[in-house]
Amino acid sequence: MTTSLENLMRKTRKENRAALIAYLPAGFPSQKGSRKALEVLAHAGVDAIEIGFPYSDPVMDGPIIQAAAEISLKSGTGAKDVFDTLNFVHELGLACVVMTYWNPIEKYGPQKFASEIARRGGSGVITPDLTIEESLGWSAATDAAQINRIYVVAPSTTDERLKAVVERCSGFVYAASLMGVTGGRTSVSSQAKDLVERIRSISQLPVAVGLGVSSRIQAREIAGYADGVIVGSAFIKVLLEAQNEEVGLAQLRELAEELVAGVREGR
Amino acid sequence: MTPSIQPEILGHFGPYGGRFVPEALIGALDELEAAHISAIADPTFQAELRELQLTYTGRPSIITEAKRFAEFAGGARILLKREDLNHTGSHKINNVLGQALLTKRMGKKRIIAETGAGQHGVAAATAAALFGLECVVYMGEEDTRRQALNVARMKLLGAQVVAVKAGSRTLKDAINEAMRDWVTNVESTHYLLGTVAGPHPFPTMVRDFHKIIGEEARDQVLELTGRLPDAVLACIGGGSNAIGIFHAFIPDTEVKLIGLEAGGDGVETGRHAATLTGGTVGVLHGTRSYVLQDENGQTIESHSISAGLDYPGVGPEHAFLLDSGRAQYRAITDDEAMNAFATLCKTEGIIPAIESAHALAGAMIIGKEMGPNSILLVNLSGRGDKDVQTAADYFKIDLA
């Protein structure tokens, strides 16, 4: 069985372009606002969505995603909301994965979590703090549910380790563009391209680049060599800083359209 | 049963421990593990550390028999291991000197640290000054207010103190921020973690630097009393002083090992920091152990009068010792701890850290249970100078 994500990556490869993958935490900017924002992203031409499971101790995230997670958690977002949001995106017709720190999965039960992702139309899960050494149970759970297992690799990852991690990935490999936490940067680090090339030399899997991507120029640059461009903090920042939700959604559409154009200009 | 003392490969203590971290940190953790392993086997490193312990920390720390305090502990013999007399005023210096030497060995020039009560931050700033390292200490904004004196001490020692405004603004958020710094600056920076939690190799390595507490105490008690103690008591936040004094006694199965957690307003109220008594198994800050968490796996904020114990996680080896039955853990309320704090002040002329007062409160309860012929070894992990303001507020002492 192939997932929607795998079908998407196949399609964008055929179209000779990169996919634009947007990240938003469930329940942000509000429970209702989250659905509106996702509709805006879908209509603007975003290819796939990562739904973030907001977490109390997000050590990989910069101030913007921290703020969004805090807002979402204050409104009571839990596993059920994450799965409902996932299902909402699935019904919009987009490929959708969940991005979550490990503890919410551990608490929910890895098998149950994986099968719920599959049942609600999700393609897979990105686990930024699950190391392959701790992933035995998760591998079994995701295999049984037939969903994608996406790990994040970093510029500091050694060749030997890169091979071991990439071998356990499916759907795509998440390449962190730099050493650091999430949040927009003005330029893309040269480390990103090097890392993508290292992955290409050992695997046929699509590679998506994330961390620090916020502009059309950056999207275009990354789309020149990667299969996917992941944008999170930049979208969230627009929603956080807008004077009201309506303005925020209008600006979100504008930014999304820019980035959608950007990933089509890369090659 | 006697649990294995060394964690298995990959840093597990039974089902606990391990590494739950971004891939970006794996290289640094591997490097640290290799440095730790090679340092242990290197006589030059051991000699250098030993020299610092003798001439800088003031080891061995002495044992004081608390005879007047014993009257409030059922007449049991109470032997205090005086880690409060170490340079910087707590056991924290043991680990900090070891890790600072490792930092030098790895060729890194910058250390970062988290701190709750400020004891570890002060110790880290001290080692940074001694070794000429740049030092940044992350401290929850709430704790910078509660422990202003220690903020001043760290600044005097040349460290930069960053008040963390995220989340609950306490120790757990300081650790989050330190980890973010580390992910960003991992090439130049060593994260000098202050407790036996976090990803492998921290729980093992920090324990190794603290186990001297129990090794010394075991010999000292044998010499003083001619036998092993009936019980060894220590307070537990992350668990570093406790594992330090427990470790040498793990094979002595007749010696009870008792950890005293921060019960806050009482475990039944939900306002506490008693992770082993009132928590469930989960993953926090890179390790699997007991955690205070809700049904979605979100960390629940802990509460304790003691900033140093105010942490919703605990070291994985303690989780293992609990499950295996080798150690037991009990919760001490704020009021019980403050009563023990006042009792030690007035009976022995020693002002303990409020953290350590939890262990003393345990001695007052367990001494009564075990009776006058028993010998209790209590780790007095820190001194209470930093807590004078908190104690004055608690006891409504007129400072005018």
Side-chain angles (χ1 to χ4, degrees):
Chain A
M1 198 185 103
T2 54
T3 64
S4 311
L5 180 67
E6 287 162 343
N7 288 331
L8 168 71
M9 299 312 283
R10 210 169 287 163
K11 175 179 138 245
T12 51
R13 253 187 195 181
K14 235 179 245 166
E15 293 171 8
N16 191 31
R17 68 171 178 94
L20 178 64
I21 304 166
Y23 168 93
L24 273 190
F28 174 81
S30 60
Q31 297 296 345
K32 273 190 187 161
S34 151
R35 296 185 177 214
K36 285 188 202 160
L38 291 163
E39 273 171 351
V40 164
L41 292 172
H43 292 151
V46 164
D47 295 295
I49 301 284
E50 288 176 18
I51 296 298
F53 195 136
Y55 178 53
S56 53
D57 297 275
V59 297
M60 271 293 279
D61 289 306
I64 292 171
I65 294 183
Q66 286 176 48
E70 210 170 315
I71 289 168
S72 175
L73 286 174
K74 270 190 188 139
S75 77
T77 302
K80 182 182 178 300
D81 305 291
V82 173
F83 294 128
D84 287 349
T85 311
L86 180 85
N87 190 245
F88 179 76
V89 175
H90 171 65
E91 282 173 0
L92 287 174
L94 294 193
C96 188
V97 297
V98 166
M99 181 154 187
T100 178
Y101 290 89
W102 177 251
N103 199 44
I105 298 182
E106 175 138 329
K107 188 70 186 164
Y108 196 84
Q111 279 184 328
K112 229 176 99 192
F113 197 95
S115 64
E116 193 62 11
I117 294 278
R119 196 176 74 81
R120 305 301 295 276
S123 294
V125 184
I126 305 171
T127 48
D129 64 345
L130 179 67
T131 54
I132 53 173
E133 287 81 1
E134 305 292 345
S135 69
L136 212 60
W138 181 239
S139 291
T142 45
D143 283 346
Q146 296 188 299
I147 60 168
N148 295 135
R149 194 163 54 226
I150 300 159
Y151 292 105
V152 183
V153 294
S156 67
T157 307
T158 61
D159 287 341
E160 189 190 2
R161 194 157 171 98
L162 194 62
K163 193 161 180 293
V165 177
V166 168
E167 270 173 6
R168 288 164 173 81
C169 281
S170 62
F172 65 79
V173 181
Y174 190 132
S177 70
L178 48 79
M179 297 298 288
V181 295
T182 58
R185 311 290 200 283
T186 44
S187 63
V188 182
S189 141
S190 64
Q191 293 176 313
K193 194 172 181 194
D194 295 345
L195 179 57
V196 172
E197 279 167 8
R198 285 168 62 211
I199 299 167
R200 296 261 190 249
S201 74
I202 55 168
S203 169
Q204 298 294 313
L205 272 180
V207 184
V209 172
L211 254 63
V213 189
S214 61
S215 70
R216 180 171 179 167
I217 296 170
Q218 288 172 317
R220 180 189 305 155
E221 185 188 335
I222 293 169
Y225 56 81
D227 303 284
V229 178
I230 303 169
V231 179
S233 295
F235 288 133
I236 292 166
K237 188 163 183 265
V238 159
L239 294 170
L240 274 176
E241 288 176 0
Q243 67 229 48
N244 61 47
E245 205 169 281
E246 202 179 325
V247 174
L249 292 172
Q251 289 174 346
L252 183 72
R253 174 186 298 268
E254 220 169 281
L255 176 63
E257 285 170 351
E258 283 279 302
L259 293 164
V260 164
V263 296
R264 284 166 172 79
E265 296 161 353
R267 295 176 205 165
Chain B
M1 76 181 257
T2 304
S4 78
I5 292 171
Q6 284 301 324
E8 309 156 36
I9 48 161
L10 311 179
H12 288 104
F13 303 89
Y16 305 110
R19 277 182 186 172
F20 296 83
V21 292
E23 200 58 37
L25 290 179
I26 294 294
L29 293 169
D30 282 346
E31 180 190 19
L32 182 60
E33 183 183 22
H36 174 227
I37 290 169
S38 84
I40 282 181
D42 177 0
T44 316
F45 178 92
Q46 293 301 337
E48 209 174 339
L49 183 58
R50 189 71 204 132
E51 182 67 16
L52 285 167
Q53 289 166 345
L54 290 172
T55 63
Y56 192 72
T57 307
R59 301 213 72 89
S61 65
I62 59 171
I63 293 268
T64 298
E65 178 154 12
K67 288 186 178 158
R68 281 184 16 89
F69 180 81
E71 292 169 27
F72 298 86
R77 286 187 79 176
I78 305 294
L79 307 180
L80 304 177
K81 178 63 173 165
R82 300 293 304 278
E83 291 295 301
D84 61 319
L85 296 178
N86 292 338
H87 179 45
T88 74
S90 79
H91 71 290
K92 294 289 187 191
I93 192 78
N94 301 325
N95 165 47
V96 155
L97 290 176
Q99 285 200 50
L101 282 177
L102 286 182
T103 307
K104 230 175 62 174
R105 201 179 173 90
M106 292 186 290
K108 293 186 173 181
K109 302 269 187 275
R110 178 176 181 264
I111 58 169
I112 54 173
E114 82 296 340
T115 199
Q119 284 177 312
H120 174 59
V122 167
T126 299
L130 182 65
F131 288 95
L133 302 167
E134 184 190 342
C135 177
V136 178
V137 179
Y138 291 95
M139 188 169 187
E141 192 184 45
E142 168 74 12
D143 290 335
T144 61
R145 197 185 50 72
R146 286 198 278 192
Q147 306 283 342
L149 185 67
N150 272 341
V151 174
R153 289 171 79 194
M154 288 183 270
K155 288 184 175 170
L156 286 170
L157 291 161
Q160 183 194 343
V161 180
V162 178
V164 177
K165 295 182 174 69
S168 61
R169 305 178 182 208
T170 60
L171 180 56
K172 97 176 167 70
D173 306 285
I175 296 177
N176 291 342
E177 209 53 39
M179 289 187 77
R180 292 180 190 118
D181 181 319
W182 204 29
V183 168
T184 310
N185 302 301
V186 67
E187 284 264 324
S188 67
T189 300
H190 172 58
Y191 180 13
L192 209 162
L193 187 74
T195 193
V196 287
H200 178 66
F202 285 108
T204 310
M205 181 183 69
V206 176
R207 180 202 68 202
D208 283 353
F209 289 133
H210 280 306
K211 69 182 183 188
I212 190 167
I213 305 171
E215 289 167 355
E216 286 175 4
R218 193 174 180 282
D219 289 346
Q220 289 166 319
V221 173
L222 278 173
E223 194 179 333
L224 183 69
T225 70
R227 68 176 181 91
L228 290 172
D230 297 292
V232 180
L233 280 65
C235 65
I236 304 239
S240 68
N241 91 81
I243 213 78
I245 199 163
F246 285 176
H247 197 255
F249 293 96
I250 288 176
D252 304 316
T253 47
E254 69 276 26
V255 179
K256 289 194 166 75
L257 306 177
I258 304 170
L260 290 311
E261 297 194 288
D265 293 343
V267 174
E268 69 289 351
T269 67
R271 290 178 52 83
H272 64 87
T275 313
L276 292 163
T277 312
T280 51
V281 174
V283 169
L284 176 65
H285 292 143
T287 192
R288 180 182 286 119
S289 184
Y290 282 73
V291 180
L292 300 181
Q293 58 181 334
D294 70 12
E295 71 282 3
N296 282 302
Q298 310 289 350
T299 311
I300 295 172
E301 287 177 21
S302 54
H303 292 274
S304 169
I305 192 166
S306 150
L309 304 183
D310 202 351
Y311 180 57
V314 64
E317 193 167 3
H318 286 295
F320 182 62
L321 290 173
L322 170 70
D323 283 9
S324 70
R326 180 62 191 93
Q328 47 172 296
Y329 297 87
R330 302 189 187 188
I332 296 293
T333 64
D334 286 352
D335 289 342
E336 288 170 326
M338 292 312 287
N339 177 46
F341 176 95
T343 305
L344 192 76
C345 288
K346 285 176 182 158
T347 57
E348 301 292 338
I350 298 169
I351 301 178
I354 296 177
E355 289 78 19
S356 319
H358 287 70
L360 295 163
M364 293 170 78
I365 296 166
I366 291 150
K368 284 168 197 142
E369 290 171 10
M370 296 181 77
N373 295 323
S374 59
I375 299 174
L376 308 188
L377 171 65
V378 181
N379 200 10
L380 193 61
S381 56
R383 66 177 187 228
D385 307 41
K386 67 181 179 60
D387 295 317
V388 167
Q389 185 66 53
T390 306
D393 291 347
Y394 181 88
F395 294 115
K396 302 190 169 57
I397 295 170
D398 191 0
L399 297 176

